[in-house]
Amino acid sequence: MRRIRAYLNAKFVVAALVILASGAIYMASLPKSDAVSLGVCTYYSSKTYKTVVGARGTGCCGSVINWGVTSAYKKCETLRCTDQICPF
């Protein structure tokens, strides 16, 4: 009986290792975004910078951000896209 349990435990460990290795290989094969800096600008209605009226730029994985209107009052930020998995 002891040998049977040891055999079943060994099979379970091998199966678990195969599943974990397969998952790691799958995750490593998914496309990742480039580690680049992308910019997004947010536009405001006045110099108080309280009411957002639009945004323009490029997000991680190449997504386009383009909504609302532009104005003279804007704040831009840099997005650092590192180690993101892109759904391509």
Side-chain angles (χ1 to χ4, degrees):
M1 190 65 148
R2 200 181 271 175
R3 284 186 178 184
I4 293 173
R5 285 190 184 185
Y7 177 74
L8 291 177
N9 284 341
K11 281 181 80 174
F12 176 76
V13 168
V14 169
L17 288 174
V18 167
I19 290 171
L20 287 174
S22 299
I25 291 169
Y26 173 73
M27 292 298 289
S29 70
L30 291 174
K32 294 183 181 180
S33 66
D34 296 333
V36 296
S37 297
L38 302 169
V40 175
C41 292
T42 305
Y43 295 89
Y44 297 87
S45 62
S46 67
K47 63 182 177 182
T48 61
Y49 294 95
K50 289 186 178 182
T51 305
V52 176
V53 295
R56 302 282 187 276
T58 304
C60 294
C61 298
S63 62
V64 176
I65 299 169
N66 184 11
W67 64 270
V69 297
T70 60
S71 70
Y73 309 104
K74 69 179 180 179
K75 288 185 181 178
C76 296
E77 64 179 312
T78 301
L79 301 175
R80 304 224 188 288
C81 302
T82 57
D83 267 353
Q84 290 197 353
I85 298 172
C86 299
F88 297 128

